[in-house]
Amino acid sequence: MAQDLVLKQRCELLRDLCASGSSETLEKVADVLLARGELSWEDYTNVKVQGRSLYTNARYLLDLVYSKGETACQVFVEGLRQIQTPEEPGPVTGKLLAQRPGLVAELQSCLDGALEALLESGCFSQEDCRDVRFHLNTPSQQARRLLDLVSSKGDSAANVVLGYIEQRQESGGNLTTETTKPEELLKYQKKLRSSISAQSSFMSTYGGTGHMSLDDIYTDGQLELAHDCKDHGDLDLEDIAGAAGTVNEDSDTVLVSGDAGSGKSTLLQRLHLLWARGAALRQFVLLFPFSCRKLNSELDQLSVQELLFGHCCWPDCERDEIFRFILDHPNLVAITFDGLDELKQSFSDERRLCSPTQPAPVHILLFNLLQGSLLKGVLKVVTSRPEAVGPMLRKHLRKELFLKGFSPEGIDRFINKQHRDSSVASKVLASIQANTALLGLCHSPVLCWIVSQCHKELLGCGDGTPQTITDVYLMILQHFLQHQSPPECPRRPSWLRDHLPGILHLGRLAFQGVESSCYIFASTDLETCCVTDQDIWAGFLTQTKDISSHRGLRYEFLHVTMQCFFAAIYVVLSDNAKRSTVAELFELKYADFSNTCFGLCLSADQQRDMTEAPHLQITATFVSGLLSQRHRHLWLHCTPTPLVERKAQQVVRCLHKGMQKHFKSIPKPLEGEKSSMHAMPGFVWLVKCIYEMRESEIAEEALSKLEVDHLKLTYCNIGPVECTALAFVLQHLRRPAGIQLDNNCMGDVGVEQLLPCLHICKSLYLRNNNITDEGIRKLIAKGIQCDNFQKIALFNNKLTDACTQYVCQLLKTKQNFLSLRLGNNYITSEGAIQLAKGLECNHSLKHLGLWGNKIGDSGAEAIAGALEGSKTLVWLSLVGNGVGSKGARALSKTLKTCPSLEQLWLTENCITKDGVESLVQALQHNKCVKSVWLKNNDLSPEEIEEMTQKESRLLF
Ligand code: ADP
């Protein structure tokens, strides 16, 4: 009985289902079961849960089939057999199989045409077409389903599909899209393009200071795949819709995340403009841009159709046909949602909608679009600060891209675009480069824009250039306000007091907005907060560009961070603000749960908390800065000094308490083990607040109770700005510790910012951080002077042979240095020879890792020669370095003379039997080596067998 077999041969069946390592077999069997009615659609989707291991899915299927009884088991067993020994396909069906990947890609954009051809030829029934078009399938799944059905119908059906594709290719590839695009659609597309073009041609931040065209000012930011260690380099706008980095094929939502001010809205604006001109994302016939801050004010219930047409562009006629086109061709449509973190509601998938005509509150529509129950197959691009995206939404993401702001060259280009007068541009650049803290800040486009706007203040600045984010915003505050003052008295110390009423009006508006996630204000809101026309003219508020709005004038702050800054001023100045306002701002609930890794185990309520008011954190950072000793003079005569002092003490207490809370989360180390703290992003935020105050005693006090050996700050979105703050605080660590900063975006500027805390750093882990030789030069120049500094890991950066001269110096000078890991960089034999010179003179190194470079035989020979006689080296890795038998023979000599070596890693090289034999011989003289790893070298299975017999420490 088949049911019996499913039970008794479970292990074998499991192995068969998973043998290929891909879910192909499993999915095919599930297809058969679905087609034969043995699985419901729900069963079918449960079998293929993304993110669950293949084995778990396979076990689930076996349990399910067993529970469904004999017939299901029979279909399952037969189906599996058929898949394992497929019937000899006919010659044309075979072609279909051989070309399957290309066909899947091709068919996605012409599914309708192919189905029509199949229908006409009589090979497909309407039922087959419905099966293929099943609305929950993605376009690629639909294409696969079509091919499966065609294969099952034999050569004649296969002929029809191949003939259709061939004809389509001959006619230039756009047969379907071009021929089925109705006239009205083209008209609508034109209208949409011109409306988008009108909205996106100018930069909004320049509202108060003259319109600036996006073309003139747009500078590429650094766009990368989030959490991806592979070197894809910087991506461009087209990659947003491309395949790179896809983690979930079945989702259509792409997240572009980045800090406030990193340029997310500007990037979308650029994308919209290019699409409108037909210069980007040309595969999409329609594109609908949305701003979440604008969607907040939509109080009516809408259907998807009303949302798309009402908010973006209304078709002049044939509305239903155009909407039908969208439903029928989801792969030709894209929607963007800017600023998900500004939406009042946080993502939840509690209420599912399936019908595009069903009206619902806008946020429910949005959530259903993002998770794919509505307009499946339509590309959705959403931007947000990363902390505001909880795990519930993350599981619906196709991929995540991370926008990291400007590169150092980007800063250069941006400043040059801003100042046509090249002498001004070079003066501004020189003054930015002379102050590394400021240079760090300028990686953030919004700060770079401010600094560039305030070039006069910057260049003529008597009281030192800005060091903190608060300094930068104070500078622009002064800059804008002084535009209003007569030029003869530009630098009155009381500039803030002179403009106090207006600042307070804007502050109140900003604060109320931040509290209630409101970023667009109607005239009535302005009136409530007494904002006058003169306050508007100061330039911090700009009129909302909203062509489709009939709601009268509406305003927003130049940038959300500007709103947070005004909100912070309000918190500092106003005596109306509740006594508890400061404490509430720093409330730990906002700081605690913001790490997505930890967020996974939170309840839905907690997750909602976490994204409740994402801009409170930025406001709190400004409050810290504004209440620092350095800026106290500003508040004299603006508000009673005792009040300011009380608030400042409150901030210090909150920061201290927040830090303690993080430290309490450190698990007690087991006997003999090191204590380690994995910092959450909330920790980095606290550190940034402390830095804004720039008072060493506060930093010292905050760390006074921290006793850890290892501080882990991986994947914390740490760029140059955060590095400055970290160094400011961590230099007060009470004992040397390991600092792990892997997988952040520090770059060379970040490395330089970190130097002030290097003396307290035992080991520094900087894997995957975009560091170049220049960063290493600076790091080592300082590291050589730091006694405690003993280990460095630089895996997956941008290091070349040029860095090895510094490393060589480090090895020669520091005779207590223990571990050097340079894996996955660009070091060749030349660099290895340089390194060898350092190794010869070093008597302390225990670990040397060069995995994934290109040192080749001559590099290996140099390293091996330098290590001969080493009494300290325990671990050496030359994995994946193009090392052949020549290198292996040199390493054999090292083996004979290096009594301390325990592990030698030579996996993925091109060593032949000859080389391995010399290693075997050497091992006869060395009893300390525990293993020599040789997987994936040039040996036949028989040779591997023979060598393993000779020496069991060789591992293949
Ligand atoms: P975010 O949406 O991430 O908060 P924005 O796109 O609003 O950031 O950027 C803030 C400001 O920084 C913009 O108004 C603009 O002045 C400047 N900016 C951002 N990105 C760019 C860019 N790529 N080129 C030129 N300026 C930019």
XYZ file of all heavy atoms in Angstrom, residues 203-206 214 216-222 256-270 293 338-339 341-342 383-385 403 405-406 410 414 417-418 444-450 453 473 558-561 615, ligand 1:
465
model
N 14.039 70.105 -6.930
C 14.299 69.624 -5.574
C 13.436 70.417 -4.603
O 13.403 71.650 -4.671
C 15.756 69.884 -5.197
C 16.756 69.170 -6.033
S 16.816 67.426 -5.643
C 17.427 67.452 -3.974
N 12.825 69.702 -3.646
C 11.952 70.446 -2.749
C 12.724 71.181 -1.660
O 12.302 72.218 -1.190
C 10.907 69.531 -2.141
O 11.543 68.465 -1.526
N 13.867 70.654 -1.265
C 14.605 71.328 -0.185
C 15.069 72.709 -0.600
O 15.503 73.487 0.222
C 15.895 70.572 0.187
O 16.168 69.622 -0.798
C 15.817 69.980 1.541
N 15.042 72.950 -1.884
C 15.552 74.234 -2.319
C 14.436 75.257 -2.444
O 14.642 76.358 -2.909
C 16.293 74.061 -3.654
C 17.487 73.166 -3.483
C 17.359 71.793 -3.502
C 18.735 73.711 -3.224
C 18.443 70.973 -3.293
C 19.823 72.892 -3.016
C 19.674 71.522 -3.059
O 20.748 70.716 -2.844
N 16.593 69.009 -10.477
C 17.160 67.738 -10.030
C 18.329 67.343 -10.929
O 19.351 66.841 -10.451
C 16.076 66.663 -10.042
C 16.463 65.310 -9.497
C 16.738 65.389 -8.001
C 15.381 64.272 -9.742
N 20.443 69.190 -12.304
C 21.662 69.940 -12.000
C 22.341 69.442 -10.737
O 23.543 69.552 -10.586
C 21.334 71.430 -11.799
C 20.996 72.069 -13.125
O 21.340 71.468 -14.152
O 20.372 73.149 -13.110
N 21.560 68.927 -9.823
C 22.111 68.700 -8.485
C 22.242 67.219 -8.126
O 23.006 66.844 -7.243
C 21.230 69.452 -7.445
C 22.048 69.798 -6.224
C 19.985 68.728 -7.089
C 23.066 70.839 -6.482
N 21.510 66.372 -8.844
C 21.506 64.960 -8.427
C 22.903 64.346 -8.506
O 23.598 64.468 -9.503
C 20.534 64.136 -9.284
C 20.425 62.726 -8.767
C 19.614 62.430 -7.682
C 21.168 61.700 -9.337
C 19.537 61.153 -7.173
C 21.087 60.408 -8.840
C 20.266 60.149 -7.757
O 20.206 58.882 -7.247
N 23.277 63.721 -7.435
C 24.581 63.073 -7.350
C 24.329 61.640 -6.889
O 23.585 61.442 -5.923
C 25.446 63.783 -6.280
O 25.411 65.173 -6.547
C 26.857 63.282 -6.264
N 24.933 60.686 -7.553
C 24.667 59.294 -7.165
C 25.085 59.031 -5.730
O 26.176 59.407 -5.314
C 25.444 58.337 -8.082
C 24.743 58.174 -9.401
O 23.498 58.234 -9.405
O 25.424 58.018 -10.426
N 24.195 58.399 -4.985
C 24.550 57.951 -3.640
C 25.071 56.522 -3.725
O 25.062 55.917 -4.792
N 25.511 55.975 -2.604
C 26.003 54.597 -2.617
C 24.856 53.660 -2.286
O 24.328 53.695 -1.175
C 27.099 54.426 -1.575
C 28.257 55.383 -1.743
C 29.238 55.241 -0.592
O 30.118 54.398 -0.620
N 29.082 56.055 0.419
N 14.066 49.997 -0.098
C 15.298 50.786 -0.120
C 15.370 51.445 1.246
O 14.550 52.302 1.576
C 15.267 51.865 -1.219
C 16.533 52.697 -1.180
C 15.111 51.219 -2.583
N 16.325 51.000 2.065
C 16.375 51.570 3.406
C 17.586 52.477 3.546
O 18.562 52.362 2.798
C 16.389 50.460 4.458
O 17.519 49.659 4.302
N 17.516 53.371 4.496
C 18.611 54.309 4.732
C 18.200 55.267 5.831
O 17.002 55.451 6.080
N 19.193 55.875 6.470
C 18.895 56.821 7.542
C 18.118 58.019 7.016
O 18.119 58.271 5.814
C 20.206 57.336 8.140
C 20.869 56.244 8.943
O 20.166 55.316 9.362
O 22.100 56.325 9.123
N 17.555 58.769 7.953
C 16.891 60.012 7.549
C 17.938 60.912 6.901
O 19.016 61.107 7.454
C 16.302 60.695 8.773
N 17.645 61.395 5.729
C 18.578 62.303 5.067
C 19.595 61.599 4.194
O 20.462 62.239 3.610
N 19.481 60.276 4.067
C 20.474 59.566 3.262
C 20.147 59.665 1.772
O 20.906 59.200 0.934
C 20.560 58.099 3.685
O 19.308 57.485 3.511
N 18.999 60.242 1.456
C 18.704 60.494 0.042
C 17.677 59.552 -0.561
O 17.601 59.421 -1.783
N 16.843 58.935 0.264
C 15.882 57.961 -0.268
C 14.833 58.631 -1.151
O 14.560 58.184 -2.256
C 15.185 57.217 0.891
C 16.149 56.505 1.816
C 15.438 55.807 2.942
C 14.744 56.728 3.924
N 15.633 57.585 4.705
N 14.276 59.749 -0.641
C 13.236 60.415 -1.441
C 13.835 60.947 -2.729
O 13.210 60.875 -3.792
C 12.638 61.601 -0.691
O 12.275 61.207 0.583
N 15.038 61.483 -2.633
C 15.668 62.049 -3.820
C 15.943 60.953 -4.842
O 15.785 61.145 -6.038
C 16.964 62.773 -3.423
O 16.680 63.597 -2.304
C 17.501 63.613 -4.548
N 16.346 59.791 -4.340
C 16.600 58.671 -5.252
C 15.315 58.262 -5.983
O 15.309 58.065 -7.196
C 17.158 57.496 -4.441
C 17.370 56.203 -5.205
C 18.773 55.685 -4.960
C 16.396 55.142 -4.773
N 14.219 58.190 -5.238
C 12.957 57.836 -5.897
C 12.563 58.922 -6.883
O 12.105 58.640 -7.993
C 11.840 57.670 -4.862
C 11.709 56.311 -4.183
C 10.393 56.224 -3.439
C 11.785 55.159 -5.177
N 12.770 60.165 -6.461
C 12.427 61.285 -7.339
C 13.186 61.165 -8.664
O 12.636 61.337 -9.747
C 12.789 62.582 -6.629
C 12.198 63.809 -7.268
C 12.575 65.091 -6.529
O 12.880 65.076 -5.339
N 12.571 66.195 -7.242
N 14.460 60.806 -8.552
C 15.284 60.635 -9.746
C 14.749 59.496 -10.614
O 14.659 59.599 -11.834
C 16.717 60.331 -9.306
C 17.702 60.157 -10.427
C 18.031 61.479 -11.032
N 18.970 61.414 -12.126
C 19.027 62.337 -13.076
N 18.218 63.377 -13.058
N 19.906 62.241 -14.035
N 3.758 60.184 3.563
C 3.326 61.316 4.388
C 2.046 61.936 3.812
O 1.196 62.395 4.533
C 4.440 62.343 4.585
C 4.934 63.047 3.359
C 5.759 64.272 3.715
N 6.943 63.978 4.525
C 7.772 64.886 4.988
N 7.549 66.170 4.733
N 8.821 64.574 5.694
N 7.151 56.242 -0.949
C 8.276 56.881 -0.268
C 7.955 57.083 1.210
O 6.853 57.516 1.553
C 8.554 58.233 -0.938
C 9.816 58.869 -0.389
O 10.692 58.120 0.106
O 9.930 60.108 -0.422
N 8.919 56.759 2.072
C 8.805 57.100 3.496
C 7.780 56.292 4.267
O 6.915 56.854 4.938
N 8.233 54.932 6.911
C 8.389 55.271 8.330
C 7.567 56.494 8.719
O 7.435 56.811 9.887
C 9.875 55.489 8.681
C 10.592 56.381 7.686
O 9.975 56.745 6.660
O 11.755 56.720 7.927
N 7.030 57.183 7.721
C 6.227 58.358 8.049
C 4.732 58.049 8.049
O 3.911 58.918 8.348
C 6.534 59.494 7.070
C 7.952 60.002 7.233
C 8.277 61.178 6.343
O 7.414 61.588 5.552
O 9.411 61.677 6.452
N 10.484 52.974 0.463
C 11.660 53.454 1.184
C 11.306 53.653 2.650
O 10.157 53.955 2.980
C 12.176 54.803 0.636
O 11.247 55.822 1.004
C 12.354 54.788 -0.860
N 12.306 53.482 3.488
C 12.075 53.663 4.923
C 13.401 53.704 5.660
O 14.412 53.226 5.149
C 11.257 52.491 5.467
O 11.183 52.550 6.861
N 13.377 54.254 6.867
C 14.525 54.054 7.742
C 14.497 52.585 8.154
O 13.418 52.038 8.407
C 14.413 54.940 8.985
C 14.543 56.410 8.665
C 14.222 57.253 9.878
N 15.101 56.958 10.965
C 14.732 56.945 12.241
N 13.497 57.184 12.589
N 15.601 56.674 13.186
N 20.759 52.414 1.168
C 21.313 53.645 0.611
C 22.209 54.267 1.670
O 21.759 54.610 2.761
C 20.170 54.596 0.238
C 20.582 55.860 -0.500
C 21.308 55.538 -1.796
C 19.368 56.721 -0.802
N 24.222 57.016 1.452
C 24.641 58.413 1.323
C 25.792 58.535 0.341
O 26.044 57.636 -0.453
N 26.486 59.662 0.405
C 27.532 59.940 -0.569
C 28.833 59.215 -0.224
O 29.175 59.066 0.942
C 27.836 61.440 -0.619
C 26.705 62.281 -1.153
C 26.489 63.561 -0.671
C 25.866 61.794 -2.149
C 25.451 64.347 -1.166
C 24.830 62.574 -2.652
C 24.625 63.843 -2.152
N 31.595 61.351 -3.999
C 30.244 61.905 -4.163
C 30.156 63.277 -3.487
O 29.545 64.204 -4.034
N 29.094 66.588 -5.402
C 27.922 67.337 -4.954
C 28.281 68.806 -4.698
O 27.587 69.718 -5.150
C 27.357 66.690 -3.685
C 26.192 67.418 -3.096
C 24.922 67.301 -3.658
C 26.337 68.233 -1.985
C 23.835 67.980 -3.124
C 25.259 68.917 -1.449
C 24.004 68.788 -2.014
N 28.755 70.646 -7.831
C 27.513 70.954 -8.539
C 26.806 72.133 -7.868
O 26.121 72.917 -8.521
C 26.581 69.746 -8.511
C 27.002 68.660 -9.462
C 26.018 67.514 -9.422
C 26.375 66.492 -10.479
N 25.342 65.515 -10.711
N 26.946 72.220 -6.558
C 26.266 73.277 -5.810
C 26.867 74.652 -6.076
O 26.174 75.648 -6.044
C 26.402 73.001 -4.306
C 25.530 71.902 -3.812
C 24.257 72.463 -3.216
O 24.300 73.390 -2.435
N 23.141 71.904 -3.599
N 26.280 62.116 4.828
C 24.828 62.165 4.793
C 24.417 63.315 3.875
O 24.740 64.474 4.131
C 24.310 62.398 6.212
O 23.040 62.984 6.148
N 23.707 63.027 2.780
C 23.392 64.086 1.818
C 22.709 65.306 2.441
O 23.013 66.425 2.076
C 22.492 63.387 0.812
C 22.921 61.978 0.850
C 23.281 61.703 2.286
N 21.804 65.060 3.389
C 21.095 66.228 3.911
C 22.060 67.151 4.659
O 21.976 68.382 4.566
C 19.873 65.827 4.787
C 20.281 65.286 6.127
C 18.938 66.998 4.963
N 23.021 66.559 5.355
C 23.991 67.385 6.079
C 24.945 68.052 5.092
O 25.355 69.192 5.266
C 24.759 66.545 7.098
C 23.879 65.946 8.208
C 24.714 65.109 9.162
C 23.188 67.038 8.996
N 25.281 67.317 4.051
C 26.163 67.872 3.033
C 25.491 69.074 2.382
O 26.125 70.103 2.119
C 26.433 66.787 1.986
S 27.862 67.111 0.985
N 24.198 68.940 2.167
C 23.443 70.055 1.570
C 23.472 71.273 2.502
O 23.728 72.395 2.072
C 21.996 69.599 1.308
C 21.093 70.746 0.985
C 21.090 71.462 -0.165
C 20.106 71.320 1.841
N 20.140 72.460 -0.085
C 19.532 72.408 1.132
C 19.645 71.040 3.125
C 18.525 73.197 1.672
C 18.648 71.816 3.660
C 18.098 72.893 2.943
N 23.249 71.014 3.795
C 23.238 72.146 4.741
C 24.613 72.813 4.780
O 24.736 74.038 4.694
C 22.853 71.660 6.159
C 21.413 71.164 6.158
C 23.051 72.771 7.174
C 20.920 70.665 7.492
N 25.054 74.843 1.817
C 24.233 76.059 1.875
C 24.886 77.124 2.756
O 24.793 78.308 2.504
C 22.867 75.741 2.517
C 21.924 74.981 1.661
C 21.380 75.846 0.556
O 20.774 76.870 0.797
N 21.626 75.449 -0.673
N 22.883 71.785 12.298
C 21.522 72.340 12.209
C 21.444 73.725 12.841
O 20.667 74.578 12.403
C 20.499 71.366 12.825
C 20.137 70.291 11.842
C 21.001 69.219 11.610
C 18.979 70.356 11.070
C 20.721 68.250 10.676
C 18.679 69.385 10.131
C 19.557 68.337 9.936
O 19.264 67.377 8.991
N 11.423 71.484 5.387
C 12.332 71.205 4.280
C 12.761 69.753 4.285
O 12.952 69.138 3.257
C 13.585 72.063 4.406
C 13.458 73.501 3.941
C 14.795 74.197 4.057
C 12.966 73.550 2.502
N 12.948 69.210 5.462
C 13.299 67.797 5.583
C 12.815 67.331 6.936
O 12.721 68.133 7.871
C 14.813 67.605 5.445
C 15.183 66.164 5.323
N 15.714 65.445 6.359
C 15.038 65.304 4.286
C 15.904 64.200 5.962
N 15.503 64.087 4.713
N 12.528 66.043 7.034
C 11.988 65.546 8.302
C 12.958 65.800 9.467
O 12.547 66.067 10.594
C 11.602 64.051 8.179
C 12.822 63.187 8.005
C 10.815 63.597 9.375
N 14.259 65.771 9.173
C 15.227 66.015 10.255
C 15.132 67.471 10.727
O 15.372 67.761 11.898
C 16.658 65.736 9.771
O 16.842 66.375 8.516
C 16.905 64.250 9.619
N 10.560 59.081 14.588
C 11.342 60.308 14.582
C 11.588 60.886 15.966
O 12.278 61.880 16.105
C 10.689 61.312 13.633
C 10.721 60.797 12.226
N 9.623 60.294 11.596
C 11.764 60.639 11.367
C 9.968 59.864 10.388
N 11.251 60.049 10.228
P 15.634 60.827 2.940
O 14.433 60.599 2.065
O 16.530 59.641 3.002
O 15.306 61.363 4.290
P 16.149 62.985 1.101
O 16.104 62.304 -0.205
O 14.957 63.761 1.520
O 16.529 61.945 2.238
O 17.451 63.897 1.108
C 17.599 65.007 1.939
C 18.275 66.105 1.182
O 19.615 65.729 0.854
C 17.645 66.413 -0.147
O 16.602 67.327 -0.011
C 18.797 66.985 -0.943
O 19.030 68.317 -0.586
C 19.957 66.152 -0.457
N 20.139 64.972 -1.302
C 19.797 63.711 -0.991
N 20.162 62.849 -1.948
C 20.739 63.568 -2.907
C 21.330 63.247 -4.171
N 21.383 62.003 -4.611
N 21.844 64.249 -4.902
C 21.800 65.514 -4.456
N 21.257 65.871 -3.279
C 20.736 64.928 -2.500
